[in-house]
Amino acid sequence: MLLPLAMSNNFSKIPQHIAIIMDGNGRWAEARGLPRLEGHKAGTENLRQIIQGCVDAGVKYLTIYAFSTENWGRPREEVEGLISILELFLDRELDELCAEGVKICHLGRLEAMPLKVRRKVEHSMEITCSNSRLILSVAWNYGGRDEIVYAIQKMIRENVQPQDVTEELVGQYLFTKDMPDPDLIIRTSGEMRISNFLIWQAAYAEWYITPTFWPDFNKEELFKAIASYGQRDRRFGKISGLNNED
Ligand code: IPE
Ligand code: IPE
Ligand code: MG
């Protein structure tokens, strides 16, 4: 059960939106002599405590990068395994997430998914659509460049005029429409790159990189990342102390 713990008092500043690049599942499995898919399965077991941790801390938006547009280039068995892991995750967690007030969203292109899984994702979005305690966005078949291409195509189709194109308008054509930009992006497994994740929205995100592989990333690690965020001086190109986050 997701119990709110008023943890927010322990942090000097809470990110409204945390986005996570859940990386290192394959290396986690390889280090244990296991097939890579075992790492991907283990990488759904810890999600519950991360979701709980976000609720405890008072985070409103959690976005998780689960499958990139480039991940289709992996061996077929791994791709198929990742699709069924998404399905299993929804089968296992949906009722509880729904009961606990989590709203599930999807970022990316659903149409590339097998119909059965697509229906499950759509169903999970439908039944949680009026929840608001935590907005959980699953980036699956998501690519930041693909998102921008999609936005441009849509603007052209809708005959948007050049003088009407503003940063705010572009934001309304992205998959993250109506969501605040991520304040904190966490990447596990030590890699220091964006890998096509939220490339527009990450303009002023704070980064937290940990060597921990994703399946070992737990609530304690999450709280370390939030505490680190609390120490950051977000200047947004301005000068310290000018109420930059207004
Ligand atoms: C992240 O783990 C999950 C996906 C990209 C789907 P990886 O599978 O990339 O794990 P490593 O980076 O190979 O260890
Ligand atoms: C990014 O991880 C994608 C996800 C976590 C879903 P990758 O493992 O695919 O990224 P690269 O290849 O190391 O940049
Ligand atoms: Mg990886």
Side-chain angles (χ1 to χ4, degrees), residues 22-25 27 36 74 187 189 191 193:
M22 309 185 292
D23 199 13
N25 295 350
R27 279 164 286 164
R36 289 177 58 85
R74 295 189 179 199
R187 184 163 187 156
S189 87
E191 306 297 355
R193 52 178 173 263

PDB file of all heavy atoms in Angstrom, residues 22-25 27 36 74 187 189 191 193, ligand 3:
ATOM      1  N   MET A  22      16.353   4.342 -16.741  1.00  0.00           N
ATOM      2  CA  MET A  22      16.563   3.106 -15.977  1.00  0.00           C
ATOM      3  C   MET A  22      17.565   2.238 -16.742  1.00  0.00           C
ATOM      4  O   MET A  22      17.169   1.401 -17.550  1.00  0.00           O
ATOM      5  CB  MET A  22      15.228   2.371 -15.824  1.00  0.00           C
ATOM      6  CG  MET A  22      14.081   3.234 -15.297  1.00  0.00           C
ATOM      7  SD  MET A  22      12.573   2.288 -14.985  1.00  0.00           S
ATOM      8  CE  MET A  22      12.055   1.803 -16.635  1.00  0.00           C
ATOM      9  N   ASP A  23      18.843   2.427 -16.467  1.00  0.00           N
ATOM     10  CA  ASP A  23      19.869   1.764 -17.284  1.00  0.00           C
ATOM     11  C   ASP A  23      20.697   0.786 -16.451  1.00  0.00           C
ATOM     12  O   ASP A  23      20.849   0.959 -15.247  1.00  0.00           O
ATOM     13  CB  ASP A  23      20.773   2.847 -17.906  1.00  0.00           C
ATOM     14  CG  ASP A  23      21.558   2.325 -19.097  1.00  0.00           C
ATOM     15  OD1 ASP A  23      21.234   1.230 -19.604  1.00  0.00           O
ATOM     16  OD2 ASP A  23      22.510   3.017 -19.521  1.00  0.00           O
ATOM     17  N   GLY A  24      21.237  -0.221 -17.147  1.00  0.00           N
ATOM     18  CA  GLY A  24      22.159  -1.158 -16.498  1.00  0.00           C
ATOM     19  C   GLY A  24      21.555  -2.525 -16.196  1.00  0.00           C
ATOM     20  O   GLY A  24      22.201  -3.343 -15.528  1.00  0.00           O
ATOM     21  N   ASN A  25      20.359  -2.798 -16.699  1.00  0.00           N
ATOM     22  CA  ASN A  25      19.739  -4.108 -16.451  1.00  0.00           C
ATOM     23  C   ASN A  25      20.582  -5.250 -17.016  1.00  0.00           C
ATOM     24  O   ASN A  25      20.746  -6.295 -16.386  1.00  0.00           O
ATOM     25  CB  ASN A  25      18.360  -4.192 -17.122  1.00  0.00           C
ATOM     26  CG  ASN A  25      17.363  -3.223 -16.535  1.00  0.00           C
ATOM     27  OD1 ASN A  25      17.630  -2.619 -15.506  1.00  0.00           O
ATOM     28  ND2 ASN A  25      16.215  -3.069 -17.195  1.00  0.00           N
ATOM     29  N   ARG A  27      23.858  -5.334 -17.705  1.00  0.00           N
ATOM     30  CA  ARG A  27      25.109  -5.531 -16.948  1.00  0.00           C
ATOM     31  C   ARG A  27      24.834  -6.131 -15.572  1.00  0.00           C
ATOM     32  O   ARG A  27      25.615  -6.927 -15.071  1.00  0.00           O
ATOM     33  CB  ARG A  27      25.872  -4.196 -16.844  1.00  0.00           C
ATOM     34  CG  ARG A  27      26.662  -3.883 -18.107  1.00  0.00           C
ATOM     35  CD  ARG A  27      27.080  -2.448 -18.161  1.00  0.00           C
ATOM     36  NE  ARG A  27      25.942  -1.582 -18.468  1.00  0.00           N
ATOM     37  CZ  ARG A  27      25.925  -0.263 -18.283  1.00  0.00           C
ATOM     38  NH1 ARG A  27      26.972   0.328 -17.762  1.00  0.00           N
ATOM     39  NH2 ARG A  27      24.861   0.435 -18.622  1.00  0.00           N
ATOM     40  N   ARG A  36      20.284 -11.561 -20.057  1.00  0.00           N
ATOM     41  CA  ARG A  36      19.940 -10.132 -19.930  1.00  0.00           C
ATOM     42  C   ARG A  36      18.477  -9.915 -19.520  1.00  0.00           C
ATOM     43  O   ARG A  36      18.159  -9.005 -18.770  1.00  0.00           O
ATOM     44  CB  ARG A  36      20.199  -9.429 -21.272  1.00  0.00           C
ATOM     45  CG  ARG A  36      21.684  -9.267 -21.617  1.00  0.00           C
ATOM     46  CD  ARG A  36      21.840  -8.627 -22.988  1.00  0.00           C
ATOM     47  NE  ARG A  36      21.184  -7.326 -23.035  1.00  0.00           N
ATOM     48  CZ  ARG A  36      21.757  -6.183 -22.636  1.00  0.00           C
ATOM     49  NH1 ARG A  36      23.003  -6.188 -22.196  1.00  0.00           N
ATOM     50  NH2 ARG A  36      21.101  -5.052 -22.710  1.00  0.00           N
ATOM     51  N   ARG A  74      17.907  -4.010 -30.903  1.00  0.00           N
ATOM     52  CA  ARG A  74      18.455  -5.121 -30.107  1.00  0.00           C
ATOM     53  C   ARG A  74      17.967  -6.470 -30.665  1.00  0.00           C
ATOM     54  O   ARG A  74      17.020  -6.507 -31.450  1.00  0.00           O
ATOM     55  CB  ARG A  74      18.018  -4.967 -28.649  1.00  0.00           C
ATOM     56  CG  ARG A  74      18.628  -3.723 -28.026  1.00  0.00           C
ATOM     57  CD  ARG A  74      18.394  -3.657 -26.542  1.00  0.00           C
ATOM     58  NE  ARG A  74      19.026  -2.466 -25.991  1.00  0.00           N
ATOM     59  CZ  ARG A  74      19.310  -2.283 -24.727  1.00  0.00           C
ATOM     60  NH1 ARG A  74      18.996  -3.215 -23.843  1.00  0.00           N
ATOM     61  NH2 ARG A  74      19.892  -1.175 -24.315  1.00  0.00           N
ATOM     62  N   ARG A 187      20.096   9.067 -13.929  1.00  0.00           N
ATOM     63  CA  ARG A 187      20.496   7.958 -14.803  1.00  0.00           C
ATOM     64  C   ARG A 187      21.310   6.979 -13.979  1.00  0.00           C
ATOM     65  O   ARG A 187      22.293   7.353 -13.339  1.00  0.00           O
ATOM     66  CB  ARG A 187      21.301   8.430 -16.014  1.00  0.00           C
ATOM     67  CG  ARG A 187      21.620   7.248 -16.950  1.00  0.00           C
ATOM     68  CD  ARG A 187      22.049   7.645 -18.335  1.00  0.00           C
ATOM     69  NE  ARG A 187      22.150   6.444 -19.161  1.00  0.00           N
ATOM     70  CZ  ARG A 187      22.058   6.418 -20.475  1.00  0.00           C
ATOM     71  NH1 ARG A 187      21.867   7.521 -21.147  1.00  0.00           N
ATOM     72  NH2 ARG A 187      22.164   5.275 -21.144  1.00  0.00           N
ATOM     73  N   SER A 189      23.591   3.343 -13.655  1.00  0.00           N
ATOM     74  CA  SER A 189      24.642   2.552 -14.329  1.00  0.00           C
ATOM     75  C   SER A 189      25.830   3.390 -14.799  1.00  0.00           C
ATOM     76  O   SER A 189      26.684   2.887 -15.526  1.00  0.00           O
ATOM     77  CB  SER A 189      24.089   1.703 -15.488  1.00  0.00           C
ATOM     78  OG  SER A 189      24.059   2.435 -16.705  1.00  0.00           O
ATOM     79  N   GLU A 191      26.361   5.797 -16.902  1.00  0.00           N
ATOM     80  CA  GLU A 191      26.521   6.412 -18.239  1.00  0.00           C
ATOM     81  C   GLU A 191      26.172   7.896 -18.158  1.00  0.00           C
ATOM     82  O   GLU A 191      25.195   8.276 -17.523  1.00  0.00           O
ATOM     83  CB  GLU A 191      25.609   5.743 -19.270  1.00  0.00           C
ATOM     84  CG  GLU A 191      25.736   4.234 -19.380  1.00  0.00           C
ATOM     85  CD  GLU A 191      27.103   3.767 -19.835  1.00  0.00           C
ATOM     86  OE1 GLU A 191      27.973   4.617 -20.164  1.00  0.00           O
ATOM     87  OE2 GLU A 191      27.319   2.545 -19.843  1.00  0.00           O
ATOM     88  N   ARG A 193      25.094  10.214 -20.551  1.00  0.00           N
ATOM     89  CA  ARG A 193      24.534  10.702 -21.815  1.00  0.00           C
ATOM     90  C   ARG A 193      23.013  10.701 -21.737  1.00  0.00           C
ATOM     91  O   ARG A 193      22.407  10.045 -20.900  1.00  0.00           O
ATOM     92  CB  ARG A 193      25.033   9.874 -22.995  1.00  0.00           C
ATOM     93  CG  ARG A 193      24.855   8.388 -22.847  1.00  0.00           C
ATOM     94  CD  ARG A 193      25.333   7.622 -24.083  1.00  0.00           C
ATOM     95  NE  ARG A 193      25.307   6.194 -23.846  1.00  0.00           N
ATOM     96  CZ  ARG A 193      26.373   5.470 -23.483  1.00  0.00           C
ATOM     97  NH1 ARG A 193      27.552   6.032 -23.350  1.00  0.00           N
ATOM     98  NH2 ARG A 193      26.247   4.164 -23.262  1.00  0.00           N
TER      99      ARG A 193
HETATM  100 MG    MG B   3      21.922   0.443 -21.397  1.00  0.00          MG
END
